């Protein structure tokens, strides 16, 4: 896809785009259409129930819901693109909120932010080095890291700890019009990652490594370094999510990341957004669409006050169905061209 | 197909990828013997196997899916759902015969596996997502149905399979473990097993060679579902009704399979090594308990050891491959 030069004749290029859009074959288009459809359907269902999904508070809620999952999922896309995976994100979030809140209690907000990002980068570096250096499959490496972090949390904390000052809590609660300020954090991180993946050499190397690591290495890409960088980027995004959640909760909580299952949810959002689990295809734009689908669904369920357990059932069905409909791997695409 | 058959030829070569796990298991068992002198008394050793049985059975099922190139994240939820469903069922029909309930659970497990397999193969949803969705659905459904706190008790007759003994000394769980092991070993030596590994190695090559890939992969999921249901029966007997019965078991099973030298992505590894991986994991848990590692730090140690063991396995495997290649080409 990236190989198509912009100078190519406009006519075939346009035909190509149109065909893809008509057949929903571009996952990014597909997921945003799906998000629009889910929003519309949700709005109708909630309206029948006598509520308004897209009221001011409703929109704020949807955006607020998207931030934490969005930050994690954007980071997760970076590693999945590169052909890796990160299952340690949930426990890293929990530790991040605890470290943030405890540091803010005694010191300044600035040191706390630095401490959380530093810790995250270290965990990402460790993940990357285990995957590339020890050649442990990413699934097991990051699962092992999750166990290590879990032990650390359970050994040191039994409940909420630390206190986040009001000045920092504004990140979690302030808003401009209906838009929470935290959305700008998500937007900033997403734009940064989008630029990195699409516009820098590192990004091209990430796609190349995820597409075919062997071929990438033979073409001179330092694949190990690329994978490590992707893991560090992912963990930094997770650190940002932890800071946001700390601001939101007002304290650090050992269950901040695990209760919402950010590990599996973020992977689901990434795959919903059309990024191939095997790597090499997809991107941040689709992931944000996937996050929006999940958080709109969440808001609809909340407005209808659906039983939280039943919510999981529907969510499972929706994730499977959505991926089945529009994010499935393209099969036999070229063969049907004449039609 | 030629690469696939090359992988298949000779049990010896397949044992090669699992070699590190046997070494690990021996080390762990030796460490257990030193820590706990009474460990090899028949009673306590059988008790160890009994505790390991659910994980071993899950690992055998998970192996089928992994070696064919997929994941099954739903097995933990199947165990939870099975335990809770059995308790609810006995709540309504206290006099139901245990054979019927067990058979019903196994059939339900088969249905879950079948659905997983059909969604993965027919709708082409990645198995990671299919089984993740299935996990959410099953867990949500069970707790929705029971209002969040599963209740009820299981009659002794039903629990006997998980905690009782045959002839007064041999736990049924050990027999189940042996039976599953033998069945899995036989299955992987049969035509089905060979096509399964070929499918995992290269789906396209297998399809061109005439393997009905969707059917084979669906059957693998079905096997994993049945294994999970069997594990549910054992867990229900062993530790009773709990909403946490199966929590995290899917990751433990996958870890066990990978410890056994089976490559995630499919096509390589033996089922016996996968089950040895499950025994190693259980031996590790037991050892950590005996060493008095505090409950909280247990998972940290576990994380380190799993990473280290898989790292060692990966290194050994690379060396074995390189050493063998010249002989084969000669």
């Amino acid at each position: 896809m990236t190989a198509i030069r912009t100078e190519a004749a406009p006519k075939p290029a346009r035909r190509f785009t149109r065909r893809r859009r008509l057949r929903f074959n571009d996952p990014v288009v597909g997921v945003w259409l799906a998000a629009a459809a889910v929003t519309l359907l949700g709005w109708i269902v909630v309206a029948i129930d006598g509520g308004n999904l897209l009221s001011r508070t409703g929109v704020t809620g949807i955006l607020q819901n998207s931030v934490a999952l969005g930050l994690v999922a954007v980071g997760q896309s970076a590693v999945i693109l590169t052909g890796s995976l990160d299952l340690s994100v949930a426990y890293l979030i929990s530790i991040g909120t605890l470290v943030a809140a405890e540091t803010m209690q005694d010191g300044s907000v600035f040191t706390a932010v630095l401490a959380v990002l530093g810790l995250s980068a270290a965990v990402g570096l460790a993940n990357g080095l285990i995957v590339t250096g020890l050649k442990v499959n990413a699934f097991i490496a990051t699962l092992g890291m999750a166990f290590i972090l879990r032990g650390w949390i359970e050994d040191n904390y039994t409940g909420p700890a630390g206190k986040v000052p009001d000045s920092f809590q504004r990140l979690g609660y302030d808003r401009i019009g209906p838009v929470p300020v935290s959305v700008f954090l998500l937007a900033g991180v997403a734009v940064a990652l989008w630029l990195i993946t699409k516009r820098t050499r590192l990004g091209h190397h990430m796609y190349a490594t995820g597409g075919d690591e062997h071929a990438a290495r033979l073409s001179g890409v330092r694949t190990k370094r690329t994978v490590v960088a992707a893991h560090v980027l992912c963990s930094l995004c997770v650190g940002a999510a932890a800071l946001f959640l700390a601001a939101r909760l007002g304290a650090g909580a050992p269950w901040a990341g695990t209760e919402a299952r950010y590990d599996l949810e973020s992977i689901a959002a990434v795959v919903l957004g059309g990024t191939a689990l095997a790597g090499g295809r997809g991107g941040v734009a689709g992931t944000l669409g996937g996050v929006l689908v999940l958080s709109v669904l969440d808001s609809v369920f909340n407005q209808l006050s659906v039983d939280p357990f039943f919510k999981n059932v529907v969510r499972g069905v929706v994730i499977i169905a959505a991926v089945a409909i529009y994010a499935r791997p393209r099969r036999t695409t070229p063969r049907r061209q004449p039609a | 197909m030629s690469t696939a058959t090359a992988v298949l030829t000779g049990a010896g070569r397949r044992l090669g990828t699992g070699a590190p796990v046997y070494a690990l298991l021996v080390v762990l068992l030796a460490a257990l013997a030193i820590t706990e002198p009474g460990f090899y008394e028949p009673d306590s050793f059988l008790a160890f196997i009994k505790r390991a049985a659910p994980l071993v059975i899950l690992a055998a099922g998970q192996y089928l899916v992994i070696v064919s190139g997929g994941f099954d994240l739903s097995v933990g939820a199947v165990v939870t759902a099975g335990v809770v469903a059995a308790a609810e069922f006995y709540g309504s029909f206290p006099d139901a015969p245990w054979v019927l309930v067990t058979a019903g659970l196994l059939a339900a497990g088969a249905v879950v596996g079948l659905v997983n397999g059909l969604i993965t193969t027919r709708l082409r949803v990645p198995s990671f997502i299919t089984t993740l969705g299935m996990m959410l659905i099953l867990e949500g459904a069970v707790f929705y149905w029971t209002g969040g706190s599963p209740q009820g008790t299981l009659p002794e007759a039903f629990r006997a399979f998980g905690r009782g003994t045959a002839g007064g000394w041999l736990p049924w769980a050990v027999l189940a473990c042996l039976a599953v092991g033998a069945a899995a070993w036989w299955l992987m030596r049969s035509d089905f097993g060979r096509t399964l590994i070929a499918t995992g190695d290269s789906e396209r090559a297998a399809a061109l060679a005439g393997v009905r890939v969707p059917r084979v992969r669906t059957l693998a999921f079905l096997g994993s579902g049945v294994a999970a249901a069997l594990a549910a029966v054992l867990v229900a007997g062993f530790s009773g009704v709990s909403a946490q019965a199966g929590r995290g078991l899917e990751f433990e099973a996958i870890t066990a399979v990978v410890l056994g030298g089976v490559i995630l992505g499919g096509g390589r590894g033996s089922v016996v090594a996968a089950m040895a991986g499950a025994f190693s994991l259980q031996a590790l848990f037991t050892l950590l308990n005996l060493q008095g590692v505090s409950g909280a730090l247990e998972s940290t140690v576990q994380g380190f050891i799993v990473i280290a063991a898989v790292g060692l396995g990966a290194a050994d495997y690379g060396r074995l491959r390189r050493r063998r290649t010249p002989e084969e080409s000669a």
Side-chain angles (χ1 to χ4, degrees):
Chain A
M1 217 79 314
T2 48
I4 294 173
R5 307 292 292 260
T6 38
E7 305 94 69
K11 203 179 161 197
R14 207 186 306 134
R15 253 184 53 212
F16 189 54
T17 328
R18 203 184 64 215
R19 201 176 63 223
R20 283 172 71 209
R21 186 166 301 159
L22 280 177
R23 299 185 45 206
F24 300 99
N25 252 345
D26 185 352
V28 177
V29 176
V31 74
W32 282 98
L33 281 177
V38 168
T39 314
L40 185 68
L41 274 176
W43 181 77
I44 293 173
V45 172
V46 172
I48 291 171
D49 194 56
N52 182 6
L53 180 69
L54 297 179
S55 67
R56 211 179 144 96
T57 47
V59 170
T60 309
I62 290 173
L63 292 174
Q64 199 91 294
N65 276 346
S66 308
V67 173
L69 181 60
L71 286 168
V72 183
V74 163
Q76 190 76 260
S77 343
V79 269
I80 292 185
L81 270 185
T82 318
S84 195
L85 185 77
D86 193 346
L87 291 173
S88 66
V89 293
Y91 289 102
L92 183 54
I93 287 182
S94 298
I95 286 200
T97 62
L98 290 162
V99 168
E102 289 203 319
T103 319
M104 282 180 198
Q105 197 171 25
D106 311 324
S108 73
V109 167
F110 183 69
T111 41
V113 172
L114 278 188
V116 170
L117 293 182
L119 172 75
S120 307
V123 170
L125 189 67
N127 277 335
L129 289 178
I130 294 169
V131 171
T132 57
L134 294 180
K135 295 197 175 59
V136 176
N137 184 289
F139 190 100
I140 297 297
T142 55
L143 187 63
M145 180 58 77
F147 278 125
I148 293 172
L149 296 177
R150 182 174 115 189
W152 182 15
I153 294 175
E154 287 177 355
D155 200 39
N156 291 313
Y157 302 95
T158 47
K163 168 105 185 64
V164 176
D166 292 343
S167 61
F168 193 71
Q169 287 200 27
R170 296 181 59 176
L171 172 66
Y173 289 94
D174 275 14
R175 54 175 195 262
I176 303 167
V179 183
V181 286
S182 48
V183 169
F184 294 106
L185 173 68
L186 172 60
V189 169
V191 167
L193 267 222
W194 184 83
L195 284 175
I196 290 173
T197 49
K198 297 283 188 189
R199 290 282 183 272
T200 66
R201 183 157 53 166
L202 172 64
H204 297 314
H205 286 179
M206 282 161 67
Y207 276 96
T209 308
D212 187 335
E213 189 172 350
H214 190 64
R217 196 166 50 241
L218 292 181
S219 333
V221 175
R222 295 180 207 237
T223 51
K224 289 188 175 180
R225 210 176 273 189
T226 311
V227 171
V228 173
H231 272 285
V232 172
L233 279 176
C234 170
S235 294
L236 285 175
C237 292
V238 175
L243 287 169
F244 164 71
L245 281 174
R248 195 79 193 144
L249 299 169
W255 56 80
T258 45
E259 200 183 54
R261 291 204 170 159
Y262 282 115
D263 38 8
L264 297 176
E265 289 272 317
S266 64
I267 294 173
V270 169
V271 175
L272 273 182
T275 300
L277 262 181
R281 221 161 4 105
V284 172
T287 299
L288 287 180
V291 170
L292 195 61
V293 170
L294 291 178
S295 60
V296 167
L297 269 180
D298 233 29
S299 289
V300 171
F301 294 144
N302 284 344
Q303 293 236 349
L304 298 176
S305 42
V306 173
D307 181 289
F309 300 119
F310 189 67
K311 207 159 89 175
N312 269 348
V313 178
V314 180
R315 197 187 282 167
V317 173
V318 167
I319 289 174
I320 293 178
V323 175
I325 292 167
Y326 65 80
R328 59 180 153 174
R330 269 166 276 176
R331 54 171 168 171
T332 65
T333 316
R335 227 189 289 162
R336 288 206 219 143
Q337 256 174 356
Chain B
M1 192 64 192
S2 65
T3 49
T5 38
V7 170
L8 297 181
T9 45
R13 173 138 187 214
R14 271 189 285 152
L15 207 74
T17 71
V21 78
Y22 299 117
L24 177 71
L25 186 56
V26 168
V27 169
L28 284 169
L29 289 178
L32 273 172
I34 295 167
T35 321
E36 175 81 10
F39 183 73
Y40 289 100
E41 301 282 318
D43 275 359
S44 62
F45 191 66
L46 284 175
F48 165 73
I49 298 180
K50 187 171 90 174
R51 273 197 312 279
L55 188 57
V56 172
I57 290 168
L58 284 177
Q62 187 73 247
Y63 165 85
L64 297 179
V65 177
I66 288 184
V67 90
S68 69
F71 279 107
D72 192 347
L73 295 178
S74 67
V75 292
V78 171
V79 171
T80 309
V83 171
V84 173
E88 287 286 322
F89 186 79
Y90 272 116
S92 316
F93 306 95
D95 299 325
W98 68 271
V99 180
L100 207 65
V101 178
T102 305
L105 278 183
L106 293 183
V111 170
V112 170
L114 186 67
V115 171
N116 277 337
L118 288 178
I119 293 175
T120 304
T121 55
R122 300 293 169 189
L123 300 179
R124 306 206 135 231
V125 176
S127 59
F128 194 96
I129 296 298
T130 310
T131 54
L132 170 63
M134 184 56 83
M135 171 172 120
L136 289 175
I137 293 171
L138 285 177
E139 280 183 0
V142 159
F143 291 121
Y144 178 60
W145 182 29
T146 58
S149 56
Q151 280 168 0
T153 48
L154 296 163
E156 274 309 308
F158 179 74
R159 294 190 67 173
F161 192 60
R163 55 153 74 162
T165 51
W169 60 278
L170 186 61
W172 286 107
V174 175
L175 281 178
C177 195
L178 285 175
V180 168
W185 182 76
W186 171 80
L187 193 67
M188 292 317 291
R189 291 184 69 83
S190 69
D191 286 353
F192 173 76
R194 282 151 197 277
T195 50
L196 194 65
I197 293 185
T199 305
D201 192 42
S202 168
E203 202 174 302
R204 195 168 147 70
L208 289 176
V211 175
R212 278 181 279 188
V213 170
R215 204 177 72 161
V216 169
R217 296 192 64 193
T218 305
L219 284 174
F221 278 101
L222 196 143
S224 177
V226 174
L230 183 58
V233 175
L234 292 181
V235 169
F238 194 61
S239 42
V241 184
S242 149
Q244 309 284 323
R247 174 144 288 197
L249 276 182
E250 63 278 354
F251 287 126
E252 278 180 22
I254 293 174
T255 308
V257 171
V258 175
L259 266 185
V262 180
I263 310 291
L264 286 179
R268 214 161 283 147
S270 92
V271 69
V272 180
M275 294 167 83
F279 273 117
S280 307
L281 210 54
Q282 192 64 43
L284 176 64
F285 295 150
T286 314
L287 188 65
L288 288 179
N289 262 337
L290 289 176
Q291 291 283 3
V293 176
S294 86
L297 270 181
E298 192 185 275
S299 52
T300 300
V301 177
Q302 189 191 332
F304 274 117
I305 292 183
V306 165
I307 290 177
V310 174
L312 279 178
D316 276 358
Y317 174 63
R319 211 170 57 225
L320 273 175
R321 284 262 297 181
R322 274 199 297 281
R323 206 189 292 150
R324 262 159 211 233
T325 320
E327 293 169 16
E328 271 165 21
S329 54

